[in-house]
Coordinates of all heavy atoms in Angstrom, one line a residue:
M1 N -10.1 -48.8 9.5 CA -9.6 -50.1 10.1 C -8.9 -49.8 11.4 O -9.2 -50.5 12.4 CB -8.7 -50.8 9.1 CG -8.6 -52.3 9.3 SD -10.2 -53.1 9.5 CE -9.7 -54.7 9.7
V2 N -8.0 -48.8 11.4 CA -7.3 -48.5 12.6 C -8.3 -48.1 13.7 O -8.2 -48.5 14.8 CB -6.3 -47.4 12.4 CG1 -5.8 -46.8 13.7 CG2 -5.2 -47.9 11.5
R3 N -9.3 -47.3 13.3 CA -10.3 -46.8 14.3 C -11.1 -48.0 14.8 O -11.4 -48.1 16.0 CB -11.2 -45.8 13.6 CG -11.7 -44.8 14.5 CD -12.5 -43.7 13.8 NE -11.9 -43.2 12.6 CZ -12.5 -42.4 11.7 NH1 -13.8 -42.2 11.8 NH2 -11.8 -42.0 10.7
V4 N -11.5 -48.9 13.9 CA -12.2 -50.1 14.4 C -11.4 -50.9 15.4 O -11.9 -51.3 16.4 CB -12.6 -51.0 13.2 CG1 -13.2 -52.3 13.7 CG2 -13.6 -50.2 12.3
N5 N -10.1 -51.1 15.0 CA -9.3 -51.9 15.9 C -9.1 -51.2 17.3 O -9.1 -51.9 18.3 CB -7.9 -52.1 15.3 CG -7.9 -53.1 14.2 OD1 -8.8 -53.9 14.2 ND2 -6.9 -53.0 13.4
F6 N -9.0 -49.9 17.2 CA -8.9 -49.1 18.5 C -10.1 -49.3 19.3 O -10.0 -49.6 20.5 CB -8.6 -47.6 18.2 CG -8.6 -46.8 19.4 CD1 -7.4 -46.8 20.2 CD2 -9.7 -46.1 19.8 CE1 -7.4 -46.1 21.4 CE2 -9.6 -45.3 21.0 CZ -8.5 -45.4 21.8
F7 N -11.3 -49.2 18.7 CA -12.5 -49.4 19.4 C -12.6 -50.8 20.0 O -13.0 -50.9 21.2 CB -13.7 -49.1 18.4 CG -15.0 -49.4 19.0 CD1 -15.6 -48.6 20.0 CD2 -15.7 -50.6 18.7 CE1 -16.8 -48.9 20.6 CE2 -16.9 -50.9 19.3 CZ -17.5 -50.0 20.2
L8 N -12.3 -51.8 19.3 CA -12.3 -53.1 19.8 C -11.4 -53.3 20.9 O -11.7 -54.0 21.9 CB -12.0 -54.1 18.7 CG -13.1 -54.3 17.6 CD1 -12.6 -55.2 16.5 CD2 -14.4 -54.8 18.2
A9 N -10.2 -52.7 20.8 CA -9.2 -52.9 21.9 C -9.7 -52.2 23.1 O -9.6 -52.7 24.2 CB -7.9 -52.3 21.5
A10 N -10.3 -51.0 23.0 CA -10.8 -50.2 24.1 C -12.0 -51.0 24.8 O -12.0 -51.1 26.0 CB -11.3 -48.9 23.7
L11 N -12.8 -51.6 23.9 CA -13.9 -52.3 24.4 C -13.4 -53.6 25.2 O -13.9 -53.9 26.3 CB -14.8 -52.8 23.3 CG -16.1 -53.5 23.6 CD1 -17.1 -52.5 24.3 CD2 -16.8 -54.1 22.4
A12 N -12.5 -54.2 24.6 CA -11.9 -55.4 25.2 C -11.3 -55.1 26.6 O -11.5 -55.8 27.5 CB -10.9 -56.1 24.3
L13 N -10.6 -54.0 26.6 CA -9.9 -53.6 27.9 C -11.0 -53.3 28.9 O -10.9 -53.6 30.1 CB -9.0 -52.4 27.6 CG -7.7 -52.7 27.0 CD1 -6.9 -51.4 26.7 CD2 -6.8 -53.6 27.8
A14 N -12.0 -52.5 28.5 CA -13.1 -52.1 29.4 C -13.8 -53.3 30.0 O -14.2 -53.3 31.1 CB -14.0 -51.2 28.7
T15 N -14.0 -54.3 29.2 CA -14.7 -55.5 29.6 C -13.8 -56.6 30.2 O -14.3 -57.5 30.8 CB -15.5 -56.2 28.5 OG1 -14.6 -56.5 27.5 CG2 -16.6 -55.2 27.9
G16 N -12.5 -56.4 30.1 CA -11.6 -57.3 30.6 C -11.5 -58.6 29.7 O -10.9 -59.5 30.1
A17 N -12.1 -58.5 28.5 CA -12.1 -59.6 27.7 C -10.7 -59.9 27.1 O -10.3 -61.0 26.8 CB -13.1 -59.4 26.5
L18 N -10.0 -58.8 26.9 CA -8.6 -58.9 26.3 C -7.7 -58.9 27.5 O -7.4 -57.8 28.0 CB -8.4 -57.8 25.3 CG -7.0 -57.9 24.6 CD1 -7.1 -59.1 23.6 CD2 -6.8 -56.6 23.8
A19 N -7.2 -60.0 27.9 CA -6.3 -60.0 29.1 C -4.9 -59.4 28.7 O -4.6 -59.4 27.5 CB -6.1 -61.5 29.5
K20 N -4.3 -59.0 29.7 CA -2.9 -58.6 29.6 C -2.1 -59.7 29.0 O -2.4 -60.9 29.3 CB -2.4 -58.2 31.0 CG -2.1 -56.8 31.1 CD -1.5 -56.5 32.5 CE -2.1 -57.1 33.7 NZ -1.8 -56.5 34.9
T21 N -1.0 -59.4 28.3 CA -0.2 -60.4 27.8 C 1.2 -60.3 28.4 O 1.5 -59.2 28.9 CB -0.1 -60.4 26.3 OG1 0.6 -59.2 26.0 CG2 -1.4 -60.5 25.6
N22 N 2.0 -61.3 28.3 CA 3.4 -61.2 28.7 C 4.1 -60.0 28.0 O 4.9 -59.4 28.7 CB 4.1 -62.5 28.4 CG 3.9 -63.5 29.5 OD1 3.6 -63.2 30.6 ND2 4.0 -64.7 29.1
S23 N 3.8 -59.8 26.8 CA 4.5 -58.7 26.1 C 4.1 -57.3 26.7 O 4.9 -56.4 26.7 CB 4.3 -58.9 24.6 OG 3.5 -57.9 24.1
D24 N 2.8 -57.2 27.1 CA 2.4 -56.0 27.8 C 3.3 -55.8 29.1 O 3.7 -54.7 29.4 CB 1.0 -56.0 28.3 CG 0.0 -56.0 27.1 OD1 0.4 -55.5 26.0 OD2 -1.1 -56.6 27.2
C25 N 3.5 -56.8 29.8 CA 4.3 -56.8 31.0 C 5.7 -56.4 30.7 O 6.3 -55.6 31.4 CB 4.2 -58.1 31.7 SG 2.6 -58.6 32.3
Q26 N 6.2 -57.0 29.6 CA 7.6 -56.7 29.2 C 7.7 -55.2 28.8 O 8.7 -54.6 29.2 CB 7.9 -57.6 28.1 CG 9.4 -57.9 27.9 CD 10.0 -58.4 29.2 OE1 9.5 -59.2 29.9 NE2 11.2 -57.9 29.5
T27 N 6.8 -54.7 28.1 CA 6.8 -53.3 27.7 C 6.8 -52.4 28.9 O 7.6 -51.5 29.0 CB 5.6 -53.0 26.8 OG1 5.6 -53.9 25.7 CG2 5.6 -51.6 26.3
Q28 N 5.9 -52.8 29.8 CA 5.8 -52.0 31.1 C 7.1 -52.0 31.9 O 7.6 -51.0 32.4 CB 4.6 -52.6 31.9 CG 4.4 -51.9 33.2 CD 3.4 -52.7 34.1 OE1 2.3 -53.1 33.6 NE2 3.8 -53.0 35.3
Y29 N 7.7 -53.2 32.0 CA 8.9 -53.4 32.7 C 10.0 -52.6 32.1 O 10.8 -51.9 32.8 CB 9.2 -54.9 32.8 CG 10.5 -55.3 33.5 CD1 10.7 -54.8 34.8 CD2 11.4 -56.1 32.9 CE1 11.8 -55.2 35.5 CE2 12.6 -56.5 33.6 CZ 12.8 -56.0 34.9 OH 13.9 -56.4 35.6
N30 N 10.1 -52.7 30.8 CA 11.2 -52.0 30.0 C 11.1 -50.5 30.3 O 12.1 -49.8 30.5 CB 11.1 -52.3 28.6 CG 11.7 -53.7 28.2 OD1 12.4 -54.3 29.1 ND2 11.3 -54.2 27.1
S31 N 9.9 -50.0 30.2 CA 9.8 -48.5 30.4 C 10.0 -48.1 31.8 O 10.6 -47.1 32.1 CB 8.5 -47.9 29.8 OG 7.4 -48.6 30.3
C32 N 9.6 -49.0 32.7 CA 9.9 -48.8 34.2 C 11.4 -48.7 34.5 O 11.9 -47.7 35.1 CB 9.2 -49.9 35.0 SG 9.3 -49.6 36.8
R33 N 12.1 -49.7 34.0 CA 13.5 -49.7 34.4 C 14.4 -48.8 33.7 O 15.5 -48.6 34.1 CB 14.0 -51.2 34.4 CG 14.2 -51.8 33.0 CD 14.2 -53.3 33.1 NE 14.1 -53.9 31.8 CZ 15.1 -54.3 31.1 NH1 16.3 -54.3 31.6 NH2 14.9 -54.8 29.9
T34 N 13.9 -48.3 32.5 CA 14.7 -47.3 31.8 C 14.3 -45.9 32.1 O 14.8 -44.9 31.6 CB 14.6 -47.6 30.3 OG1 13.2 -47.5 29.9 CG2 15.2 -48.9 29.9
G35 N 13.3 -45.7 33.0 CA 12.9 -44.4 33.4 C 14.0 -43.6 34.2 O 15.0 -44.2 34.7
A36 N 13.8 -42.3 34.3 CA 14.8 -41.5 34.9 C 15.1 -41.9 36.4 O 16.3 -42.0 36.7 CB 14.3 -40.0 34.9
D37 N 14.1 -42.1 37.1 CA 14.3 -42.5 38.5 C 13.9 -44.0 38.7 O 13.2 -44.3 39.7 CB 13.3 -41.7 39.5 CG 13.8 -40.2 39.5 OD1 15.0 -39.9 39.6 OD2 12.9 -39.4 39.3
A38 N 14.4 -44.8 37.9 CA 14.1 -46.2 37.9 C 14.4 -46.8 39.3 O 15.5 -46.7 39.8 CB 14.8 -46.9 36.8
N39 N 13.4 -47.4 39.8 CA 13.5 -48.1 41.1 C 13.4 -49.6 40.7 O 12.4 -50.1 40.5 CB 12.4 -47.7 42.0 CG 12.4 -48.4 43.3 OD1 13.0 -49.5 43.5 ND2 11.8 -47.8 44.4
M40 N 14.6 -50.2 40.7 CA 14.6 -51.6 40.2 C 13.7 -52.5 41.0 O 13.0 -53.4 40.5 CB 16.0 -52.1 40.1 CG 16.8 -51.6 39.0 SD 15.9 -51.8 37.4 CE 16.0 -53.6 37.2
S41 N 13.8 -52.4 42.3 CA 13.0 -53.4 43.1 C 11.5 -53.2 42.9 O 10.7 -54.1 42.8 CB 13.3 -53.3 44.6 OG 13.0 -52.1 45.1
Y42 N 11.1 -51.9 42.6 CA 9.7 -51.6 42.3 C 9.4 -52.2 41.0 O 8.3 -52.9 40.8 CB 9.5 -50.1 42.4 CG 8.1 -49.7 41.9 CD1 7.0 -49.9 42.7 CD2 7.9 -49.2 40.6 CE1 5.7 -49.6 42.3 CE2 6.6 -48.8 40.2 CZ 5.6 -49.0 41.0 OH 4.3 -48.7 40.5
C43 N 10.2 -51.9 40.0 CA 10.0 -52.4 38.6 C 9.9 -53.9 38.6 O 9.0 -54.5 37.9 CB 11.1 -51.9 37.7 SG 11.1 -50.2 37.4
V44 N 10.8 -54.6 39.3 CA 10.8 -56.0 39.3 C 9.5 -56.6 39.9 O 8.9 -57.5 39.4 CB 12.1 -56.6 40.0 CG1 11.9 -58.1 40.3 CG2 13.3 -56.3 39.1
S45 N 9.1 -55.9 41.0 CA 7.9 -56.4 41.7 C 6.7 -56.2 40.9 O 5.8 -57.0 40.8 CB 7.9 -55.9 43.1 OG 6.8 -54.9 43.3
E46 N 6.6 -55.0 40.2 CA 5.5 -54.8 39.3 C 5.5 -55.8 38.2 O 4.4 -56.3 37.8 CB 5.7 -53.4 38.6 CG 5.3 -52.3 39.5 CD 3.8 -52.1 39.6 OE1 3.2 -51.6 38.6 OE2 3.2 -52.5 40.6
H47 N 6.6 -56.1 37.7 CA 6.7 -57.1 36.6 C 6.3 -58.4 37.0 O 5.6 -59.1 36.3 CB 8.2 -57.1 36.1 CG 8.4 -57.9 34.8 ND1 9.5 -58.7 34.7 CD2 7.8 -57.9 33.7 CE1 9.4 -59.3 33.5 NE2 8.4 -58.8 32.8
Q48 N 6.6 -58.8 38.2 CA 6.2 -60.1 38.7 C 4.7 -60.2 38.9 O 4.1 -61.2 38.6 CB 7.0 -60.5 40.0 CG 8.4 -61.0 39.6 CD 9.3 -61.0 40.8 OE1 9.0 -60.6 41.9 NE2 10.5 -61.6 40.6
T49 N 4.2 -59.1 39.4 CA 2.7 -59.0 39.6 C 2.0 -59.1 38.3 O 1.0 -59.9 38.2 CB 2.4 -57.7 40.3 OG1 3.1 -57.6 41.5 CG2 0.9 -57.7 40.6
C50 N 2.6 -58.4 37.3 CA 2.0 -58.4 36.0 C 2.0 -59.8 35.4 O 1.0 -60.3 34.9 CB 2.8 -57.5 35.1 SG 2.0 -57.1 33.5
C51 N 3.1 -60.5 35.5 CA 3.2 -61.9 35.0 C 2.3 -62.8 35.7 O 1.7 -63.7 35.1 CB 4.6 -62.4 35.1 SG 5.7 -61.5 33.8
A52 N 2.1 -62.6 37.0 CA 1.2 -63.4 37.8 C -0.2 -63.2 37.3 O -1.0 -64.2 37.2 CB 1.3 -63.1 39.3
D53 N -0.6 -62.0 37.0 CA -1.9 -61.7 36.5 C -2.1 -62.3 35.2 O -3.2 -62.9 34.9 CB -2.1 -60.1 36.2 CG -2.2 -59.4 37.5 OD1 -2.4 -60.0 38.6 OD2 -2.2 -58.1 37.5
V54 N -1.1 -62.2 34.3 CA -1.2 -62.9 33.0 C -1.4 -64.4 33.1 O -2.3 -64.9 32.5 CB 0.0 -62.6 32.2 CG1 0.1 -63.4 30.9 CG2 0.1 -61.1 31.8
Y55 N -0.7 -64.9 34.0 CA -0.7 -66.4 34.2 C -2.1 -66.8 34.7 O -2.7 -67.7 34.3 CB 0.4 -66.8 35.2 CG 0.5 -68.3 35.4 CD1 0.5 -69.2 34.3 CD2 0.5 -68.8 36.7 CE1 0.5 -70.5 34.5 CE2 0.6 -70.2 36.9 CZ 0.6 -71.1 35.8 OH 0.7 -72.4 36.0
D56 N -2.6 -66.0 35.7 CA -3.9 -66.3 36.3 C -5.0 -66.2 35.2 O -5.8 -67.1 35.1 CB -4.2 -65.4 37.4 CG -3.6 -65.8 38.7 OD1 -3.0 -66.9 38.8 OD2 -3.6 -65.0 39.6
S57 N -5.0 -65.2 34.4 CA -6.1 -65.1 33.4 C -5.9 -66.1 32.3 O -6.8 -66.6 31.7 CB -6.2 -63.6 32.9 OG -5.0 -63.0 32.8
C58 N -4.6 -66.4 32.1 CA -4.3 -67.5 31.1 C -4.9 -68.8 31.5 O -5.6 -69.5 30.8 CB -2.8 -67.5 30.9 SG -2.3 -68.6 29.5
R59 N -4.6 -69.2 32.8 CA -5.1 -70.5 33.3 C -6.6 -70.7 33.3 O -7.1 -71.8 33.1 CB -4.6 -70.6 34.8 CG -3.1 -71.0 34.9 CD -2.8 -71.2 36.3 NE -3.1 -70.1 37.2 CZ -3.6 -70.3 38.4 NH1 -3.8 -71.5 38.9 NH2 -3.9 -69.3 39.2
V60 N -7.3 -69.6 33.6 CA -8.7 -69.7 33.8 C -9.5 -69.3 32.5 O -10.7 -69.3 32.5 CB -9.3 -68.9 34.9 CG1 -8.6 -69.3 36.2 CG2 -9.0 -67.4 34.7
G61 N -8.7 -69.0 31.4 CA -9.3 -68.6 30.2 C -10.2 -69.7 29.6 O -10.0 -70.9 29.9
A62 N -11.1 -69.3 28.7 CA -12.0 -70.2 28.0 C -11.3 -71.4 27.4 O -11.6 -72.5 27.6 CB -12.9 -69.5 27.1
D63 N -10.3 -71.0 26.5 CA -9.6 -72.1 25.9 C -8.2 -72.1 26.4 O -7.2 -71.9 25.7 CB -9.6 -72.1 24.4 CG -10.0 -70.8 23.8 OD1 -9.2 -69.8 23.9 OD2 -11.2 -70.6 23.4
A64 N -8.1 -72.3 27.7 CA -6.8 -72.2 28.4 C -5.9 -73.4 27.9 O -6.3 -74.5 27.8 CB -7.0 -72.4 29.9
N65 N -4.7 -73.0 27.4 CA -3.7 -73.9 27.0 C -2.7 -73.9 28.1 O -1.8 -73.1 28.2 CB -3.2 -73.5 25.7 CG -2.1 -74.4 25.2 OD1 -1.5 -75.1 26.0 ND2 -1.8 -74.4 23.9
M66 N -2.9 -74.8 29.0 CA -2.0 -74.9 30.2 C -0.5 -74.9 29.9 O 0.3 -74.2 30.6 CB -2.4 -76.1 31.1 CG -3.7 -76.0 31.8 SD -3.8 -74.4 32.7 CE -2.6 -74.8 34.0
A67 N -0.2 -75.7 28.9 CA 1.2 -75.8 28.6 C 1.8 -74.4 28.1 O 2.9 -74.0 28.5 CB 1.5 -76.8 27.5
Q68 N 1.0 -73.7 27.3 CA 1.4 -72.4 26.8 C 1.4 -71.4 28.0 O 2.4 -70.6 28.0 CB 0.4 -72.0 25.7 CG 0.8 -70.7 25.0 CD 2.1 -70.9 24.3 OE1 2.3 -71.8 23.6 NE2 3.1 -70.0 24.5
C69 N 0.4 -71.5 28.8 CA 0.4 -70.5 30.0 C 1.7 -70.7 30.8 O 2.3 -69.8 31.2 CB -0.8 -70.8 30.9 SG -2.4 -70.4 30.1
A70 N 2.0 -72.0 31.1 CA 3.1 -72.3 32.0 C 4.4 -71.9 31.3 O 5.3 -71.4 32.0 CB 3.1 -73.8 32.3
A71 N 4.5 -72.1 30.0 CA 5.7 -71.8 29.3 C 5.9 -70.3 29.3 O 7.0 -69.8 29.5 CB 5.6 -72.3 27.9
D72 N 4.8 -69.5 29.0 CA 4.9 -68.1 29.0 C 5.3 -67.6 30.4 O 6.1 -66.7 30.5 CB 3.5 -67.5 28.7 CG 3.2 -67.6 27.2 OD1 4.1 -67.9 26.4 OD2 2.0 -67.3 26.8
N73 N 4.7 -68.2 31.4 CA 5.0 -67.7 32.8 C 6.4 -68.0 33.1 O 7.1 -67.1 33.7 CB 4.1 -68.5 33.8 CG 4.1 -67.9 35.1 OD1 4.0 -66.7 35.3 ND2 4.2 -68.7 36.1
A74 N 6.9 -69.1 32.7 CA 8.3 -69.4 33.0 C 9.3 -68.5 32.2 O 10.2 -68.0 32.8 CB 8.6 -70.9 32.6
A75 N 8.9 -68.2 31.0 CA 9.7 -67.2 30.2 C 9.7 -65.9 30.9 O 10.8 -65.2 30.9 CB 9.1 -67.2 28.8
C76 N 8.6 -65.5 31.4 CA 8.4 -64.2 32.0 C 9.3 -64.1 33.3 O 10.0 -63.2 33.5 CB 6.9 -64.1 32.4 SG 6.4 -62.4 32.5
K77 N 9.3 -65.2 34.1 CA 10.0 -65.2 35.3 C 11.5 -65.1 35.0 O 12.3 -64.5 35.7 CB 9.7 -66.5 36.1 CG 8.3 -66.5 36.7 CD 8.3 -66.9 38.1 CE 7.0 -66.5 38.8 NZ 6.1 -67.6 38.8
A78 N 11.9 -65.8 34.0 CA 13.3 -65.8 33.6 C 13.8 -64.4 33.2 O 15.0 -64.1 33.4 CB 13.5 -66.8 32.5
Q79 N 12.9 -63.6 32.8 CA 13.3 -62.2 32.3 C 13.4 -61.3 33.5 O 14.0 -60.2 33.4 CB 12.2 -61.7 31.4 CG 12.2 -62.3 30.0 CD 10.9 -62.1 29.3 OE1 10.0 -61.5 29.9 NE2 10.8 -62.5 28.1
S80 N 12.8 -61.6 34.6 CA 12.8 -60.6 35.7 C 14.2 -60.3 36.3 O 15.0 -61.2 36.4 CB 11.9 -61.2 36.9 OG 10.6 -61.4 36.4
Ligands
NAG101 C1 11.7 -48.7 45.6 O1 10.5 -49.3 45.6 C2 10.3 -50.1 46.8 C3 9.0 -50.9 46.6 O2 7.9 -50.1 46.2 C4 10.2 -49.2 48.0 O3 10.0 -49.9 49.2 C5 11.5 -48.4 48.1 O4 11.5 -47.5 49.1 C6 11.8 -47.7 46.7 N1 13.2 -47.2 46.8 C7 13.4 -45.9 46.4 C8 14.8 -45.5 46.4 O5 12.5 -45.2 46.0

């Protein structure tokens, strides 16, 4: 089961079918800012780019739930 999930995740990433999520951005941001040579302005800018990507793919998604996208995006910005 784990292997199947891994395969599906890899496939989804490769095809771009599985978009980044806010939580991916958050994980990335957390590891960036807690790193040894953390560059806060770099981390914050990466985080904002990540959230913008998430929002863009959310908005244009097949079953885009605009309210949810906007709420996620707002939550994300508040964290920066
Ligand atoms: C931090 O990152 C910013 C943006 O990438 C860069 O302009 C700046 O020089 C970096 N600062 C340090 C101390 O590395």
Side-chain angles (χ1 to χ4, degrees):
M1 202 50 179
V2 169
R3 213 175 308 168
V4 171
N5 284 340
F6 177 77
F7 174 75
L8 289 177
L11 185 69
L13 284 175
T15 58
L18 184 70
K20 249 184 312 198
T21 65
N22 276 334
S23 110
D24 293 332
C25 294
Q26 202 54 39
T27 304
Q28 179 191 308
Y29 181 52
N30 285 341
S31 50
C32 183
R33 70 202 168 100
T34 55
D37 293 315
N39 177 338
M40 282 311 289
S41 67
Y42 172 76
C43 293
V44 166
S45 110
E46 281 283 283
H47 188 223
Q48 280 166 354
T49 305
C50 192
C51 289
D53 285 353
V54 168
Y55 184 48
D56 280 348
S57 35
C58 186
R59 282 186 306 143
V60 301
D63 17 76
N65 177 340
M66 289 306 293
Q68 187 61 49
C69 294
D72 283 351
N73 194 44
C76 204
K77 290 227 164 97
Q79 286 159 358
S80 300

